[in-house]
Amino acid sequence: MSQIFDIADRYVEKVAQMSPFSATYMGVPGHDHRMNDFSPEAVQAEAERDRSTLAELESAAVEDDKDRVARDAMVDSLSLSLDLHDANENFRSLSMIHSPIHSVRQIFDLMPRESEDDWANIASRMALIPKGLDSYRRTLEEGLRRGLVVAKRQARETAEQCDVWTGRVEGHDSFFSSLASAFDGSPGLSADLESGARVAEQGIENMARFLRESYIPGAAERDAVGEERYSLAARVYNGIELDLQETYKWGWEQLAWVESEMAVAADKITPGQGVAAAKEFLETDPSRAIEGEEKFAAWMQDLQDRTIRELDGTHFDIADPVKKIEALIAPPGGALAMYYTPPNEDFSRPGRTWYPTGGKTRFPLWSEVSIAYHEGVPGHHFHLGTTVYLSERLSRFQRLLGGTSGQIEGWALYAERLMGELGYLENPDYYLGMLAGQSLRSIRVIIDIGMHLELEIPRTQPFHPGERWNRDLGLEFIRQKSLFPPDFVTSEVSRYLGIPGQAISYKVGEREWLAAREESRQRMGAAFDLKDWHTRALSLGPMGLAQMRREL
């Protein structure tokens, strides 16, 4: 093992020791019974770990090209993490979609449940939830003391999610009690699970109370984070320095392009009636929808499995372990966007797509096909599953901890468009669904940058020309322009306000993937082979967009 790969391997073990949740996410055994420490002291210790690792990387010998790529990816990632730390962002690490509170709930989705030892780990970890959240509360309290806070909206919506998870909202059972009741084994362990569930619920309820009674009164009224914080966040999520004004202008151009494409696609579905009529038809036609969560999950699983079979050997070479994927319905309470969790190191836990239903039981399919390609194959599952598989080429850090949203989400959005190029979206229903996703991602670029920088809406636009973006205008715009349901887009706007710079990463990343492919096509001419290019590009492993641009 080279020095670079040895440093990477040891770093993963340090992360697993300091963050048991990360160990579970990565599939590193021996930590599933433990709880994270989210305190200011723990965050400082993580920063010191990253600084010492960077010093090791600077003096380590680089033996070959694999070493060079692995070192550069790791240096970029750790440097960006330290930039966030030095900007004190850890003191306001709260949003309605991602925070230690969400991690405390979601980590149980990834824990194995096959043996009594597995269930004992679940009972132990549930019982430690109050301790973990108390450590996080100390971090938020220090943020309050320093005036480093998030907007009231983020804290309020997180508290409301806590109510769902603990069963305090009518129509929702406690997540933790439901988890405990799923065990069918020894009475003693059943009692431990029931006790752990009660303790976990109390810990979550106490956190919701803290947010409402202590945090929200001191939180910020303003949703926007401003240009300085936004620029840092955008660099962290994308791994590249962006000209935000140029990116904002480009977002408008992309939206104009996709709207013209949507008009053509809609005319094939409901001739002469426009996009709104086509959407209404696709939403209401019984033959174009599935009724029931279980049937929808089965349809999603079949689509993923069928796509893997058809793409393997033709447009991609898919490794055997990556051919398994599980399509699941997400537990209620979180944001309403579909998401993916990658396999662990030995693939004993497969890659999984998670679909939050938001309580709906009817699923029009026109918009779901492209989303499935995004989250599954050839999107996240192929990309991240292949990354985990490439143990001989990629360092352990690259496989388990590397990458940026720009590269990862950019690939997944590129994968949606690619499926159209490969003929999988010839049905105009599904092509319009892909375009609806492109429209949403273009809207994200406009309003994410616009709301956080409080930019002026171009005077050439018919939508509130000359006014400055805020949350209400962002919500009005996305409801008017996108084809997604009101509850979904309302959740989306809160998401953008809570994690600035992430929402633009889909289109920004897709732009880099398309540009890299086109440059390779022009350079290689008739020798260009798309399958070979995909293999070569993904074998680089996860990284920031700036490094990806250099390497490709």
Side-chain angles (χ1 to χ4, degrees):
M1 182 182 292
S2 71
Q3 278 187 281
I4 298 295
F5 275 51
D6 178 59
I7 292 169
D9 192 83
R10 287 187 285 109
Y11 182 85
V12 167
E13 291 297 330
K14 292 175 185 176
V15 169
Q17 183 62 39
M18 298 177 76
S19 172
F21 284 11
S22 295
T24 297
Y25 186 83
M26 294 184 293
V28 177
H31 302 277
D32 284 352
H33 63 293
R34 300 174 54 224
M35 175 57 56
N36 271 37
D37 181 353
F38 300 107
S39 68
E41 295 82 7
V43 172
Q44 181 61 35
E46 291 168 358
E48 291 169 1
R49 174 201 66 203
D50 290 355
R51 292 189 203 282
S52 65
T53 303
L54 280 175
E56 283 189 84
L57 289 168
E58 288 176 5
S59 60
V62 177
E63 296 182 5
D64 54 23
D65 211 41
K66 289 191 301 183
D67 264 8
R68 180 187 60 78
V69 173
R71 180 202 59 191
D72 289 355
M74 197 169 180
V75 167
D76 284 353
S77 181
L78 298 188
S79 298
L80 288 171
S81 293
L82 287 170
D83 286 346
L84 279 177
H85 176 269
D86 294 344
N88 292 315
E89 287 296 317
N90 57 288
F91 291 113
R92 44 188 171 198
S93 57
L94 174 66
S95 78
M96 57 74 67
I97 191 172
H98 178 68
S99 74
I101 303 171
H102 296 80
S103 298
V104 159
R105 209 296 297 148
Q106 293 172 348
I107 195 63
F108 293 95
D109 295 342
L110 301 180
M111 296 179 66
R113 305 178 187 181
E114 280 74 40
S115 68
E116 290 219 345
D117 286 344
D118 294 337
W119 284 100
N121 287 335
I122 290 172
S124 297
R125 184 167 270 176
M126 285 198 295
L128 291 172
I129 282 178
K131 180 180 179 181
L133 291 180
D134 283 347
S135 71
Y136 178 53
R137 190 191 67 247
R138 288 180 49 218
T139 297
L140 293 180
E141 286 173 338
E142 180 63 15
L144 281 168
R145 190 183 70 80
R146 298 190 188 192
L148 300 170
V149 292
V150 301
K152 295 180 187 293
R153 187 185 318 279
Q154 300 300 317
R156 183 172 60 251
E157 295 196 17
T158 301
E160 291 168 356
Q161 291 170 338
C162 290
D163 294 342
V164 175
W165 298 330
T166 55
R168 296 172 65 86
V169 174
E170 185 176 356
H172 293 282
D173 296 328
S174 160
F175 169 81
F176 300 100
S177 294
S178 297
L179 176 59
S181 66
F183 174 69
D184 182 18
S186 64
L189 184 50
S190 290
D192 290 343
L193 285 161
E194 291 169 4
S195 173
R198 289 193 296 271
V199 171
E201 288 163 7
Q202 189 60 55
I204 298 286
E205 288 175 6
N206 289 342
M207 177 54 71
R209 186 177 305 111
F210 164 75
L211 292 176
R212 290 186 169 109
E213 296 178 0
S214 301
Y215 193 87
I216 291 175
E221 296 287 348
R222 185 177 174 222
D223 288 303
V225 301
E227 185 169 1
E228 182 178 357
R229 287 186 63 204
Y230 188 91
S231 295
L232 171 59
R235 183 158 51 85
V236 168
Y237 279 116
N238 293 282
I240 196 170
E241 290 281 358
L242 294 171
D243 181 333
L244 295 177
Q245 294 287 346
E246 182 276 333
T247 307
Y248 175 70
K249 179 182 177 183
W250 171 74
W252 284 104
E253 294 169 354
Q254 286 294 293
L255 182 59
W257 162 77
V258 75
E259 287 184 337
S260 66
E261 283 285 300
M262 289 168 68
V264 174
D267 202 49
K268 297 178 181 178
I269 300 167
T270 52
Q273 298 182 48
V275 174
K279 180 202 170 188
E280 177 68 17
F281 173 70
L282 295 173
E283 290 282 332
T284 57
D285 182 7
S287 68
R288 286 173 160 85
I290 288 178
E291 296 282 352
E293 277 190 8
E294 290 186 10
K295 289 183 178 179
F296 177 71
W299 173 85
M300 183 70 74
Q301 183 70 58
D302 178 70
L303 176 64
Q304 301 283 5
D305 293 340
R306 187 171 69 252
T307 304
I308 289 172
R309 290 194 302 269
E310 292 175 358
L311 291 183
D312 184 34
T314 55
H315 303 294
F316 297 95
D317 289 321
I318 303 177
D320 285 342
V322 184
K323 292 175 184 176
K324 182 177 181 181
I325 185 173
E326 291 181 351
L328 303 173
I329 300 297
L336 296 180
M338 191 175 177
Y339 59 96
Y340 172 79
T341 54
N344 57 2
E345 281 192 282
D346 63 3
F347 285 88
S348 59
R349 184 190 73 216
R352 293 166 174 159
T353 60
W354 300 85
Y355 191 100
T357 66
K360 69 180 181 180
T361 58
R362 183 177 182 277
F363 304 90
L365 298 181
W366 69 281
S367 61
E368 304 296 352
V369 172
S370 198
I371 293 174
Y373 294 150
H374 180 109
E375 302 296 340
V377 172
H380 288 323
H381 180 63
F382 178 65
H383 183 191
L384 299 178
T386 300
T387 294
V388 174
Y389 176 74
L390 292 174
S391 57
E392 294 186 5
R393 181 176 182 84
L394 303 178
S395 75
R396 204 174 180 202
F397 177 89
Q398 288 170 290
R399 289 183 284 115
L400 300 180
L401 292 170
T404 58
S405 182
Q407 197 225 19
I408 294 168
E409 294 294 352
W411 167 267
L413 190 58
Y414 163 78
E416 291 187 49
R417 189 181 294 205
L418 175 69
M419 291 301 275
E421 296 175 4
L422 298 180
Y424 279 80
L425 301 175
E426 289 184 354
N427 183 328
D429 298 10
Y430 302 153
Y431 186 65
L432 184 62
M434 185 275 287
L435 292 173
Q438 284 282 341
S439 171
L440 177 66
R441 277 50 171 260
S442 301
I443 291 167
R444 284 176 175 175
V445 174
I446 296 168
I447 65 175
D448 193 54
I449 298 175
M451 290 188 301
H452 282 293
L453 272 60
E454 298 173 305
L455 297 180
E456 182 180 282
I457 299 171
R459 296 180 184 275
T460 55
Q461 291 292 331
F463 180 85
H464 294 271
E467 295 186 36
R468 294 198 173 270
W469 286 109
N470 57 33
R471 183 262 181 185
D472 291 341
L473 287 178
L475 184 57
E476 181 183 345
F477 188 74
I478 197 172
R479 283 178 172 171
Q480 182 184 118
K481 290 288 188 177
S482 83
L483 299 185
F484 287 85
D487 59 342
F488 175 81
V489 297
T490 300
S491 173
E492 283 284 286
V493 171
S494 293
R495 166 189 170 182
Y496 308 157
L497 292 170
I499 46 173
Q502 193 273 340
I504 68 174
S505 64
Y506 299 72
K507 285 294 290 182
V508 168
E510 182 199 42
R511 176 165 63 170
E512 292 295 331
W513 279 107
L514 288 170
R517 187 182 72 174
E518 182 57 29
E519 289 172 10
S520 293
R521 192 190 301 275
Q522 291 184 9
R523 184 174 63 253
M524 299 178 69
F528 179 82
D529 180 87
L530 185 60
K531 186 173 78 167
D532 289 347
W533 186 82
H534 286 147
T535 300
R536 188 167 62 253
L538 292 183
S539 68
L540 290 170
M543 57 183 54
L545 291 175
Q547 184 186 8
M548 188 181 94
R549 178 184 288 178
R550 295 195 304 269
E551 300 296 343
L552 290 177

